[in-house]
Amino acid sequence: MARLEVRGLRKSFGANEVCRGIDLTVAEGEMVCLIGASGSGKSTLLRCLNLLEPIDDGVILLDGVDIAEPGLDPQPVRQRIGIVFQSFNLFPHMTALENVLLAPRRVRGRTREALMPEVEALFARFGLSDRMEHYPDQLSGGQQQRVAIVRALAMTPEIMLFDEITSALDPELVGEVLDVLRDLRADGMTMVLATHEMGFARELADKVCFLDAGTILEEGPPAELFSQPRHERTRAFLSRVL
Ligand code: ADP
Ligand code: MG
């Protein structure tokens, strides 16, 4: 059964319809990659899934329950669906550890003592044990992004959304962040990511969706979509980025 199912999602900003009836299914433990030109609606779709943007039409089913119904409290959903952005958005005046502890303490009401074992384990898992007391400006971009991922995971989400999380990084730092995604995938995390890393998508995605002007024009396993795109627009996009 689908963990996440989107049907007929529409979202406009003023007269600009950015999502034009998106259907998307994400199964348990799947990694789904969204690809497409800048402005095709990838970020908006991810923000809608996390209820950071209200949608105009359609449904977003999380385990079969519509989470996009007007009037529902978005907070519990945001705890179940984590999101990490291109810009790491760490609080500069707080250490890596304080950044990670903040939301689970405030939102979940958990104590520092109760959180520390699992938070330390997360820092260790992503090679950051010796960076917990550092401030963001003392960390490389790759380390900051890994801390941002730890911060999202500390909320124990069931699904993770990643919006071009390597796009702001120096090329030599991209690999260490992709390794984190590899690790999460091996661990069975259900993930949706917008990415320009076509090699990565090809290697690890269960499904790749090509967004074009606010619709999913074409989707399929990476081996199919990258080698035998059905649509001319998919072919044109891939020929530009591959
Ligand atoms: P992508 O992530 O694929 O580059 P986006 O979802 O960021 O695409 O943007 C799709 C379109 O939506 C763009 O035309 C962008 O200008 C517009 N858009 C995105 N966010 C907003 C917003 N908050 N207000 C107005 N327009 C927006
Ligand atoms: Mg974007």
Side-chain angles (χ1 to χ4, degrees):
M1 182 189 150
R3 282 314 302 276
L4 196 60
E5 188 169 347
V6 178
R7 283 197 223 128
L9 187 154
R10 289 183 179 274
K11 172 70 185 174
S12 299
F13 295 106
N16 184 12
E17 192 174 24
V18 174
C19 296
R20 302 169 178 236
I22 292 199
D23 299 316
L24 176 69
T25 303
V26 185
E28 170 73 18
E30 253 187 352
M31 176 188 268
V32 173
C33 287
L34 309 176
I35 64 170
S38 176
S40 58
K42 303 180 297 295
S43 296
T44 301
L45 173 58
L46 290 176
R47 292 172 58 82
C48 287
L49 296 183
N50 183 251
L51 307 187
L52 288 170
E53 299 284 355
I55 67 174
D56 300 327
D57 200 9
V59 296
I60 304 173
L61 305 175
L62 177 57
D63 294 334
V65 176
D66 189 2
I67 57 173
E69 233 172 77
L72 287 187
D73 178 9
Q75 202 58 53
V77 171
R78 292 201 195 117
Q79 293 179 32
R80 296 178 63 192
I81 306 180
I83 187 163
V84 180
F85 303 98
Q86 176 176 337
S87 53
F88 330 123
N89 299 334
L90 297 174
F91 293 110
H93 60 288
M94 299 171 83
T95 64
L97 177 62
E98 297 302 339
N99 266 282
V100 169
L101 290 174
L102 186 67
R105 289 170 77 184
R106 279 216 186 138
V107 180
R108 296 216 132 155
R110 301 186 57 198
T111 66
R112 185 190 177 92
E113 291 65 38
L115 285 162
M116 276 313 276
E118 62 203 69
V119 164
E120 281 178 340
L122 282 172
F123 274 98
R125 176 172 167 195
F126 299 122
L128 293 164
S129 290
D130 57 350
R131 294 292 181 271
M132 292 188 356
E133 301 301 336
H134 287 59
Y135 287 87
D137 68 359
Q138 300 171 317
L139 300 170
S140 73
Q143 289 166 343
Q144 288 183 60
Q145 191 57 296
R146 283 184 283 147
V147 171
I149 295 169
V150 167
R151 180 172 60 174
L153 293 174
M155 294 294 282
T156 58
E158 299 159 42
I159 296 174
M160 284 291 298
L161 312 175
F162 297 97
D163 192 1
E164 297 195 16
I165 60 166
T166 59
S167 294
L169 298 176
D170 293 333
E172 72 271 21
L173 302 178
V174 168
E176 65 190 58
V177 173
L178 293 182
D179 283 345
V180 170
L181 297 179
R182 237 178 229 112
D183 181 300
L184 290 174
R185 186 187 188 287
D187 198 42
M189 177 63 82
T190 305
M191 298 187 266
V192 183
L193 46 124
T195 186
H196 286 307
E197 297 289 335
M198 297 300 150
F200 179 80
R202 189 171 203 149
E203 174 197 338
L204 283 176
D206 295 287
K207 180 162 74 183
V208 178
C209 301
F210 172 63
L211 268 81
D212 182 67
T215 61
I216 295 178
L217 186 63
E218 177 164 359
E219 67 173 65
E224 261 171 43
L225 189 127
F226 286 114
S227 322
Q228 300 152 326
R230 290 189 301 271
H231 286 268
E232 178 50 37
R233 295 180 71 87
T234 317
R235 272 195 289 276
F237 172 76
L238 290 174
S239 73
R240 285 200 303 276
V241 298
L242 284 180

